[in-house]
Amino acid sequence: MTARTTPLHDDRPPPARFAYDRHTWKEIAHLLVNLPVGIVGFVYAVCVLSVGAGLTVTVIGLPLLALALLGARQIGRAERARARKLLGVRVEEPSPMPGHRGQNLFSRLWTSLRDPVGWRTMLYAFIRLPWGVLTFALVAVGLFVLWPVLPFIARGLTNADRAMVRGLLSPSDELERRIAELESDRGVVVDTAAADLRRIERDLHDGAQARLVALAMGLGLAKEKLLEDPDAAASMVDEAHGEVKLALQELRDLARGIHPAVLTDRGLNAALSSVASRCTVPVKVTADLPARPAAAIEGIAYFTVSELLQNISKHSGARSASVDVWRAEDRLMLQVWDDGRGGARLDGGTGMAGLADRLGAVDGLFVIDSPEGGPTTIMAELPWRDRVG
């Protein structure tokens, strides 16, 4: 399993048969609708492009072309929906037009005119009219003359339709896919940061804060009894001293959960050795790093290994484990292994999905190899960034 793997939709229809099943009727309907849809798209493309090109000598020609490309995007969206409904073609939506904040009017206009999605949709609208005439004629004749073999004819024609939709209406540009990934990753980062903030607030409110409130009340009562009953006051002061120690320990644990001091002072090797010493399973730590990575990458690596070791302690039933960290070109590599019972999954309720999301948000990778019966090997990759300062 990987954190960056997108679920693949098998949009291939079942093999064509002589019997008219629901897939065949959907394909026939799609081919018949091609003609009216092709007429609408062709008329739109010819009208807006000819008028816009003719008016480019005026001030309204280029803005009209920009609006026409925005309208072509809506045609493309409708065609993708039709292909999903009738042909089962799974294509992602192209990324929206970039924002224009901070741009002047000319820059905004130029950005709209260079929209590759709009121009590909215009090309799609042009070629759909002759194709729609051909498919409508063949299917209409086939329903009366060639009906025994019409399912096979429809399959061949709709395969060409599928190829056109994938080639002209899908976000084939790598940059568009990358933009969509980064937008998704940004949402993951925001959600993770909000969840961490809520956890810190809850821990402070339920732990150290409540203990400090009880401590203040205890010291107030001890102050009142100091002259009346010195022995009772001394006992209360002793209890308050114990509460102070517990509050300090809770604050240390909370600080370690935010960012451990050993990681800041001594680096990833020492920090991982420290967290491994608290694991209930003997852990061998090997770190081969020529230098320290950026603080953000170092922190993510530490918390990833820390949570994986907690899972080993709680769920694995292992007798031994190991942690290996090294640099491979521009990647920071992590491997956590244990000889436990195996069966670890992203959806297993052990926080694996959260780890995968956190690594994916920084362009990382998370791979689980955990067959039933073990052993379990988890690989994580992070981009290497040099430490500044």
Side-chain angles (χ1 to χ4, degrees):
M1 300 180 186
T2 68
R4 305 293 294 172
T5 298
T6 303
L8 297 177
H9 301 279
D10 188 3
D11 53 10
R12 292 174 299 179
R17 299 180 300 172
F18 288 103
Y20 281 58
D21 58 13
R22 64 185 183 88
H23 296 285
T24 299
W25 284 115
K26 284 185 176 181
E27 290 175 341
I28 291 173
H30 185 275
L31 295 171
L32 292 174
V33 174
N34 273 349
L35 180 57
V37 169
I39 293 173
V40 172
F42 185 84
V43 170
Y44 174 83
V46 169
C47 290
V48 297
L49 290 181
S50 59
V51 173
L55 294 176
T56 51
V57 295
T58 68
V59 294
I60 65 172
L62 293 179
L64 183 61
L65 281 176
L67 290 176
L69 292 174
L70 290 176
R73 276 179 166 259
Q74 305 309 312
I75 293 176
R77 180 177 300 171
E79 282 293 271
R80 283 188 293 272
R82 184 166 73 101
R84 280 194 297 268
K85 183 71 173 177
L86 297 178
L87 301 183
V89 177
R90 307 290 181 179
V91 291
E92 298 179 2
E93 292 293 326
S95 57
M97 288 290 293
H100 300 303
R101 178 175 295 182
Q103 293 183 343
N104 57 37
L105 181 60
F106 180 78
S107 298
R108 280 183 270 175
L109 181 62
W110 182 243
T111 300
S112 299
L113 290 174
R114 291 187 299 112
D115 179 24
V117 176
W119 285 113
R120 288 203 307 268
T121 308
M122 285 290 190
L123 176 60
Y124 178 88
F126 267 114
I127 64 178
R128 293 300 288 181
L129 179 58
W131 178 251
V133 172
L134 176 64
T135 59
F136 182 88
L138 287 176
V139 173
V141 172
L143 284 172
F144 298 98
V145 179
L146 303 173
W147 60 267
V149 294
L150 184 57
F152 299 93
I153 297 174
R155 177 57 50 83
L157 295 174
T158 52
N159 282 340
D161 269 305
R162 292 182 177 94
M164 277 188 271
V165 170
R166 293 192 184 101
L168 295 176
L169 299 184
S170 63
S172 57
D173 188 356
E174 181 64 26
L175 179 60
E176 291 181 20
R177 289 197 295 268
R178 186 62 181 147
I179 290 173
E181 286 182 3
L182 292 175
E183 288 177 346
S184 175
D185 292 344
R186 181 179 61 185
V188 171
V189 171
V190 172
D191 293 342
T192 302
D196 288 341
L197 181 60
R198 288 193 298 270
R199 177 183 60 81
I200 294 170
E201 291 175 343
R202 183 178 63 252
D203 291 344
L204 282 173
H205 182 271
D206 297 342
Q209 180 179 339
R211 198 172 295 279
L212 289 174
V213 170
L215 172 63
M217 295 176 62
L219 287 175
L221 293 174
K223 181 180 179 181
E224 294 178 359
K225 290 183 174 292
L226 185 61
L227 298 178
E228 300 176 2
D229 190 352
D231 293 336
S235 176
M236 297 177 71
V237 169
D238 288 338
E239 292 180 3
H241 185 252
E243 290 290 324
V244 169
K245 291 181 178 180
L246 292 175
L248 287 174
Q249 183 60 44
E250 289 184 357
L251 289 173
R252 289 193 194 99
D253 293 340
L254 181 60
R256 185 182 295 116
I258 299 172
H259 198 82
V262 66
L263 179 61
T264 303
D265 298 337
R266 299 174 56 191
L268 197 56
N269 191 358
L272 294 182
S273 298
S274 175
V275 74
S277 67
R278 299 195 296 271
C279 184
T280 59
V281 176
V283 181
K284 179 183 178 182
V285 177
T286 303
D288 182 15
L289 298 176
R292 294 180 64 177
I297 299 299
E298 198 175 55
I300 294 174
Y302 170 82
F303 287 112
T304 298
V305 174
S306 178
E307 186 155 345
L308 290 175
L309 291 181
Q310 289 182 26
N311 285 339
I312 290 174
S313 297
K314 296 177 181 177
H315 309 292
S316 72
R319 295 185 300 275
S320 62
S322 65
V323 175
D324 295 285
V325 184
W326 70 97
R327 179 180 178 177
E329 297 180 353
D330 60 346
R331 307 290 284 181
L332 176 62
M333 312 294 294
L334 309 172
Q335 177 178 287
V336 180
W337 173 91
D338 71 79
D339 60 358
R341 63 177 63 96
R345 305 187 312 274
L346 285 178
D347 57 352
T350 56
M352 295 292 188
L355 287 177
D357 289 341
R358 180 169 292 191
L359 266 69
V362 293
D363 203 18
L365 192 67
F366 190 77
V367 181
I368 300 175
D369 180 15
S370 183
E372 292 293 340
T376 295
T377 302
I378 297 178
M379 291 288 300
E381 293 184 20
L382 289 164
W384 180 277
R385 296 172 190 161
D386 292 326
R387 196 176 190 88
V388 179

